[in-house]
Amino acid sequence: GDSVTQMEGPVTLSEEAFLTINCTYTATGYPSLFWYVQYPGEGLQLLLKATKADDKGSNKGFEATYRKETTSFHLEKGSVQVSDSAVYFCALSGQAGTALIFGKGTTLSVSS
Amino acid sequence: GAVVSQHPSRVICKSGTSVKIECRSLDFQATTMFWYRQFPKQSLMLMATSNEGSKATYEQGVEKDKFLINHASLTLSTLTVTSAHPEDSSFYICSAREGQTGELFFGEGSRLTVL
């Protein structure tokens, strides 16, 4: 079945460091790919998404490119801030309207 | 953006009792809602899909008689954990799909602790 694998955390960075969180997926067909963020004490929020190969999703300085050839959707940010500290989930949706399949989440901790 | 509200955010109950968790879409109609369970340091596991006015579809391994789901209106779905036991302690999250755009919105989650 469809699945998502993302790098184990926690990831600990200093402010202004470059961030990469790896995410790879297994799916039949052409899934849509998502990154969600969960700040402490809050629910999941959609960070960015891409619906087809080579699409780049971006938001709040974060980017991820849908790479079909490598079945990847790595999350990147050029300069992280303390306020980016959260848990990040990679997810896919195999078909429109179906439930999301999530990776295990990666905890990011940014210190000043 | 659209808001999904879950209530209660935290609940502690005794073993053997039942607990109801509500999931409401506050400013949109949700034709479909999903219930997830999240264990510490693990991913969100889909428990069931509920469509308004019909029976929920449960994922394999999820006991439908233990986790009762009702989706009585386009803005409300409830999850009832019946005869709760300590192993049911977990973080339960609902997600609602907005009918027109199909976008998914998540509730803040409900942490259940069964003593």
Side-chain angles (χ1 to χ4, degrees):
Chain A
D2 296 353
S3 65
V4 175
T5 303
Q6 62 183 105
M7 62 187 289
E8 297 272 342
V11 174
T12 304
L13 296 173
S14 298
E15 207 166 22
E16 300 183 2
F18 184 86
L19 168 71
T20 300
I21 300 178
N22 290 336
C23 171
T24 57
Y25 67 90
T26 302
T28 55
Y30 304 94
S32 294
L33 302 173
F34 306 81
W35 277 100
Y36 280 83
V37 58
Q38 187 177 31
Y39 297 105
E42 299 184 18
L44 287 167
Q45 300 174 27
L46 177 63
L47 181 60
L48 53 85
K49 68 178 181 182
T51 57
K52 61 182 186 295
D54 299 326
D55 268 3
K56 177 186 285 187
S58 61
N59 185 25
K60 299 181 181 180
F62 291 90
E63 292 183 340
T65 301
Y66 188 142
R67 300 285 188 201
K68 188 172 183 296
E69 64 276 14
T70 55
T71 61
S72 65
F73 193 54
H74 305 321
L75 182 68
E76 297 181 336
K77 186 172 185 180
S79 176
V80 294
Q81 305 300 313
V82 173
S83 57
D84 294 326
S85 298
V87 182
Y88 292 82
F89 291 91
C90 185
L92 71 81
S93 176
Q95 297 178 11
T98 58
L100 294 177
I101 296 171
F102 288 89
K104 291 189 175 183
T106 303
T107 300
L108 170 65
S109 178
V110 180
S111 58
S112 58
Chain B
V3 177
V4 174
S5 175
Q6 271 185 251
H7 179 80
S9 57
R10 291 178 182 273
V11 57
I12 300 172
C13 69
K14 293 182 178 180
S15 185
T17 61
S18 294
V19 174
K20 180 185 286 188
I21 300 170
E22 293 186 348
C23 177
R24 293 181 185 273
S25 56
L26 298 185
D27 53 2
F28 66 99
Q29 293 186 330
T31 52
T32 303
M33 289 186 174
F34 304 96
W35 286 94
Y36 292 85
R37 182 173 178 177
Q38 185 181 25
F39 293 98
K41 300 187 186 300
Q42 293 193 32
S43 182
L44 284 75
M45 302 303 297
L46 179 66
M47 298 176 65
T49 302
S50 74
N51 292 297
E52 185 265 339
S54 61
K55 289 185 178 180
T57 302
Y58 290 82
E59 295 300 299
Q60 191 173 8
V62 178
E63 298 176 62
K64 62 180 181 180
D65 294 330
K66 178 150 188 75
F67 298 99
L68 300 179
I69 291 172
N70 184 281
H71 192 162
S73 77
L74 286 171
T75 59
L76 174 64
S77 177
T78 60
L79 166 67
T80 301
V81 183
T82 62
S83 187
H85 288 92
E87 58 265 30
D88 298 324
S89 299
S90 193
F91 195 56
Y92 294 88
I93 300 175
C94 75
S95 173
R97 180 161 61 229
E98 200 273 339
Q100 290 192 336
T101 64
E103 188 168 351
L104 291 171
F105 298 94
F106 286 81
E108 306 95 331
S110 300
R111 184 165 300 285
L112 169 64
T113 303
V114 184
L115 302 177

